[in-house]
C-alpha cells in the first residue's frame, strides 16, 4: 500500500499558524492593555481623590473651627430671623379693631346712639342702634339699603326694628365687614354664613301713632 | 474509541496558543473580579469629595454671612424682637402694661381676667400647659379677658393702641355695650404672644443676611418697656 500525504504543504501551514498566532497575540495585547489602562486610571484617579479629600477635610476642619467661635452670633441671627418671621405673621394676621370700631361708629352719627356692638364672630358685626325718631331710623335704613354708601359693610340686614317709648326706635342689624374696600366686590359672604334675618318690609311704612294725632 | 495522545512535541507546538489564551482569560477574570470594586471605591471617594465640597460651600457661606453682620447691631435687633415676641410666657408687666395703655388711651380698666397657667419656665416646658394657645412657627399665646370703659373715641383709641403695643398682642373679639350717657363698656378678648427661640444645630447653608424687609420690620419695633404703644 502506498501512503499519500493529503496535508497542506509545510510552508502554507506555517503561514496560517503565523496568522492565527498574530491575531491571538493582538487580542491578548488589547485585553491586557485595556485592563492595565483601566486599572491604572482608576488607581490614579483614586489617589487624586484621596489627596483632594485630605485637602478638603483640612479646609472644612479649619472653617468649622472658625465658625465654632462664632456660634453665638449665628444663633442670634437665626433667632432674630425666626422671631421676625413670627412677628410678620402676627402683624399680617392682626385685626385692626380700632379701625373697625371707628367705621362702625361712623354708621351711627349723632343723634343715633350705639347701644351695643359685637365683633365676636370674625368679620361679622352685630349692632343695636337707638334712633331718637323715625326720621333718623328711615334715613339709616335708606343708607343701609344702598350699600355703595357703606363700602366697608356688606350684606347689611336688619333683624328687628322696635318702637320704644315716645318716638324712639331700637334697631338690631348685622353686617359683614370688609377691611379692604378694593376686595369688597370679590369678598361675598353668603347669607347662610351670616345667618341673618331679612327685615319684613311692613316695618318701615307703617304710620306712627304720634303722626296720626 | 480513539484515544488522543498529547505528546511533548504537541505541547511545544501549541505552547504559544496556550500562554496567550491563558493570559486573555486571566485578564478577563481579573477584570471581572477587581475592576467593579475598584470603580466602586473611586465613585465612593468622589461622592465623599462632593459632600465635603458642599459642606465647605455651606460653611463658607455661613462665614461670609457672619462677616457681613455687625454684631452690635445684631444684639440690638435681638433685643427688639425679643421685646415684641418674648422667649417665654410673660406674666410680669402684663397688668401694668395694659393699665398703661388704658391710661394713655383715656379708658378705665374695670376688670382683667388673666390665666397664665404654669409660669415657671422649666415646669412649663415639661408640662402640658392648657392655658396656652399654640400657633404656627412655634408661636404660643396666653389668653386674657379685659373689661374697660370709656367714650367710643377712647375705646377705639385703646384698641388701636393695643394693636400697636410693643409686645405682640392679638385682639380676638370685642363687645361694646352702653354703660351710661357718656360712656360704653368694652369686653375685649386678648391673646398675649410669645415664641421660644429655635433649637437644634445651626444649618450653615440656611444662614442668610437680614433682608431689607426684615430690617424695615425691625426698625418699626422698639427696645424699651413692653406695653407702651409704639
Amino acid at each position: 500500500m502506498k501512503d499519500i500525504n493529503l496535508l497542506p504543504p509545510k510552508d502554507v501551514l506555517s503561514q496560517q499558524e503565523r496568522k492565527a498566532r498574530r491575531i491571538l497575540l493582538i487580542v491578548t495585547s488589547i485585553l491586557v492593555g485595556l485592563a492595565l489602562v483601566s486599572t491604572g486610571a482608576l488607581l490614579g484617579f483614586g489617589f487624586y481623590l484621596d489627596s483632594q479629600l485630605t485637602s478638603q477635610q483640612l479646609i472644612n476642619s479649619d472653617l468649622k473651627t472658625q465658625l465654632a467661635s462664632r456660634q453665638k452670633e449665628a444663633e442670634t441671627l437665626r433667632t432674630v430671623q425666626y422671631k421676625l418671621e413670627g412677628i410678620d405673621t402676627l402683624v399680617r394676621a392682626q385685626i385692626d379693631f380700632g379701625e373697625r370700631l371707628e367705621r362702625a361708629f361712623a354708621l351711627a352719627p349723632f343723634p343715633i346712639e350705639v347701644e351695643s356692638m359685637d365683633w365676636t364672630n370674625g368679620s361679622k358685626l352685630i349692632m343695636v342702634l337707638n334712633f331718637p325718631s323715625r326720621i333718623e331710623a328711615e334715613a339709616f335704613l335708606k343708607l343701609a339699603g344702598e350699600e355703595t354708601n357703606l363700602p366697608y359693610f356688606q350684606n347689611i340686614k336688619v333683624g328687628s326694628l322696635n318702637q320704644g317709648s315716645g318716638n324712639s326706635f331700637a334697631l338690631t342689624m348685622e353686617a359683614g365687614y370688609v377691611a379692604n374696600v378694593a376686595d369688597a366686590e370679590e369678598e361675598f359672604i353668603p347669607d347662610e354664613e351670616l345667618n341673618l334675618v331679612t327685615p319684613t318690609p311692613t316695618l318701615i311704612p307703617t304710620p306712627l301713632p304720634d303722626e296720626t294725632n | 474509541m480513539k484515544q488522543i495522545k498529547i505528546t511533548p512535541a504537541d505541547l511545544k507546538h501549541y505552547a504559544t496558543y496556550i500562554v496567550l489564551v491563558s493570559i486573555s482569560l486571566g485578564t478577563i477574570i481579573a477584570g471581572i473580579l477587581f475592576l467593579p470594586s475598584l470603580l466602586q471605591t473611586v465613585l465612593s471617594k468622589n461622592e465623599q469629595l462632593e459632600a465635603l465640597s458642599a459642606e465647605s460651600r455651606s460653611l463658607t457661606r455661613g462665614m461670609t454671612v457672619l462677616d457681613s453682620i455687625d454684631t452690635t447691631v445684631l444684639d440690638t435687633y435681638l433685643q427688639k424682637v425679643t421685646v415684641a415676641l418674648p422667649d417665654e410666657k410673660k406674666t410680669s408687666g402684663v397688668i401694668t402694661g395694659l393699665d398703661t395703655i388704658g391710661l394713655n388711651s383715656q379708658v378705665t380698666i374695670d376688670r382683667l381676667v388673666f390665666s397664665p397657667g404654669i409660669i415657671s419656665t422649666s415646669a412649663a416646658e415639661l408640662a402640658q400647659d392648657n392655658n396656652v394657645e399654640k400657633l404656627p412657627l412655634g408661636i404660643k399665646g396666653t389668653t386674657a379677658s379685659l373689661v374697660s370703659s370709656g367714650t367710643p373715641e377712647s375705646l377705639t383709641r385703646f384698641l388701636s393702641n393695643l394693636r400697636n403695643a410693643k409686645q405682640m398682642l392679638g385682639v380676638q373679639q370685642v363687645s361694646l355695650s352702653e354703660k351710661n350717657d357718656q360712656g360704653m363698656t368694652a369686653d375685649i378678648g386678648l391673646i398675649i404672644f410669645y415664641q421660644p427661640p429655635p433649637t437644634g444645630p445651626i444649618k450653615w447653608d440656611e444662614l442668610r443676611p437680614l433682608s431689607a424687609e426684615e430690617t424695615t420690620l425691625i426698625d418699626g419695633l422698639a427696645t424699651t418697656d413692653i406695653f407702651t404703644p409704639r
Side-chain angles (χ1 to χ4, degrees):
Chain A
M1 197 175 124
K2 200 173 179 180
D3 288 337
I4 302 166
N5 186 2
L6 294 173
L7 290 168
K10 271 195 171 178
D11 58 334
V12 175
L13 186 70
S14 170
Q15 204 177 347
Q16 281 181 342
E17 273 187 5
R18 273 205 301 276
K19 194 180 174 186
R21 279 183 192 178
R22 200 182 304 129
I23 291 168
L24 191 60
L25 186 67
I26 290 168
V27 169
T28 308
S29 305
I30 290 171
L31 279 171
V32 171
L34 273 175
L36 286 175
V37 167
S38 52
T39 308
L42 286 173
L43 282 173
F45 191 50
F47 287 130
Y48 167 76
L49 287 176
D50 277 339
S51 68
Q52 289 290 304
L53 276 170
T54 313
S55 159
Q56 195 63 63
Q57 276 165 345
L58 281 172
I59 293 169
N60 287 14
S61 168
D62 182 45
L63 279 169
K64 279 177 185 170
T65 313
Q66 286 183 54
L67 283 170
S69 64
R70 305 183 73 177
Q71 180 85 9
K72 193 175 170 293
E73 275 174 66
E75 277 176 7
T76 306
L77 179 62
R78 181 174 68 162
T79 306
V80 167
Q81 285 172 337
Y82 185 66
K83 282 190 184 282
L84 278 174
E85 200 182 342
I87 291 166
D88 187 47
T89 307
L90 291 173
V91 167
R92 284 175 196 277
Q94 259 181 343
I95 298 170
D96 192 346
F97 275 102
E99 186 186 75
R100 284 187 179 197
L101 253 63
E102 203 174 310
R103 285 172 180 165
F105 279 122
L107 284 177
F110 184 81
I112 304 169
E113 192 181 80
V114 178
E115 189 181 308
S116 71
M117 189 191 293
D118 193 273
W119 291 96
T120 52
N121 188 10
S123 293
K124 188 172 131 183
L125 164 69
I126 301 171
M127 198 154 66
V128 178
L129 302 173
N130 289 324
F131 299 91
S133 74
R134 70 180 289 271
I135 298 165
E136 286 83 12
E138 280 192 339
F140 177 81
L141 288 167
K142 192 180 176 210
L143 184 75
E146 297 162 6
E147 281 189 358
T148 46
N149 296 323
L150 307 168
Y152 298 104
F153 297 93
Q154 278 187 339
N155 296 338
I156 302 168
K157 294 196 178 177
V158 178
S160 65
L161 179 65
N162 301 317
Q163 187 171 6
S165 59
N167 232 356
S168 70
F169 281 85
L171 179 142
T172 307
M173 63 159 277
E174 298 186 9
Y177 178 75
V178 183
N180 188 351
V181 179
D183 299 338
E185 288 179 9
E186 293 165 22
E187 251 183 67
F188 174 72
I189 303 159
D191 284 359
E192 306 85 64
E193 195 183 309
L194 286 170
N195 194 22
L196 300 177
V197 183
T198 313
T200 47
T202 50
L203 278 173
I204 305 162
T206 312
L208 300 170
D210 57 320
E211 285 186 345
T212 52
N213 294 333
Chain B
M1 190 180 162
K2 196 180 175 184
Q3 201 175 359
I4 300 166
K5 275 188 178 177
I6 301 169
T7 60
D10 287 339
L11 278 176
K12 193 181 175 186
H13 181 77
Y14 291 110
T16 315
Y17 293 102
I18 292 165
V19 170
L20 287 176
V21 169
S22 303
I23 290 172
S24 296
L25 284 173
T27 309
I28 291 167
I29 291 165
I32 290 168
L33 287 177
F34 301 115
L35 278 179
S37 62
L38 192 59
L39 185 67
Q40 190 61 43
T41 312
V42 170
L43 288 175
S44 160
K45 280 180 187 173
N46 195 41
E47 276 175 22
Q48 281 179 44
L49 185 64
E50 277 177 14
L52 279 174
S53 300
E55 188 188 36
S56 175
R57 281 195 298 274
S58 161
L59 295 170
T60 311
R61 184 184 152 78
M63 186 65 81
T64 314
V65 170
L66 290 179
D67 284 342
S68 70
I69 289 168
D70 183 339
T71 48
T72 317
V73 175
L74 189 64
D75 286 340
T76 317
Y77 286 171
L78 180 68
Q79 199 184 342
K80 281 186 171 186
V81 294
T82 310
V83 165
L85 210 48
D87 290 347
E88 55 204 46
K89 196 186 288 182
K90 197 110 185 170
T91 48
S92 59
V94 169
I95 303 165
T96 317
L98 289 172
D99 261 340
T100 311
I101 296 180
L103 202 68
N104 289 339
S105 316
Q106 293 173 319
V107 301
T108 313
I109 294 182
D110 303 323
R111 190 160 57 91
L112 172 66
V113 182
F114 180 46
S115 310
I118 304 161
I119 56 170
S120 146
T121 312
S122 52
E125 278 171 6
L126 294 170
Q128 177 70 34
D129 195 345
N130 295 325
N131 298 71
V132 168
E133 291 209 12
K134 291 178 181 70
L135 300 150
L137 285 165
I139 301 169
K140 296 174 182 179
T142 315
T143 51
S145 174
L146 186 73
V147 177
S148 57
S149 52
T151 61
E153 294 77 23
S154 63
L155 286 170
T156 305
R157 200 180 312 122
F158 180 54
L159 283 163
S160 292
N161 286 342
L162 281 177
R163 183 172 181 262
N164 294 325
K166 284 172 187 170
Q167 185 176 337
M168 295 305 297
L169 298 174
V171 177
Q172 291 181 303
Q173 59 175 53
V174 178
S175 292
L176 267 76
S177 55
E178 205 175 26
K179 188 182 182 186
N180 50 41
D181 285 348
Q182 277 88 42
M184 298 192 87
T185 299
D187 195 337
I188 300 164
L190 269 182
I191 182 160
I192 300 154
F193 298 110
Y194 65 100
Q195 186 191 37
T199 52
I202 300 272
K203 290 178 183 165
W204 296 105
D205 52 338
E206 287 179 9
L207 211 64
R208 55 177 178 79
L210 288 163
S211 66
E213 290 81 16
E214 285 173 327
T215 316
T216 310
L217 188 60
I218 292 174
D219 289 341
L221 304 171
T223 48
T224 51
D225 63 328
I226 55 168
F227 276 116
T228 315
R230 284 196 286 265

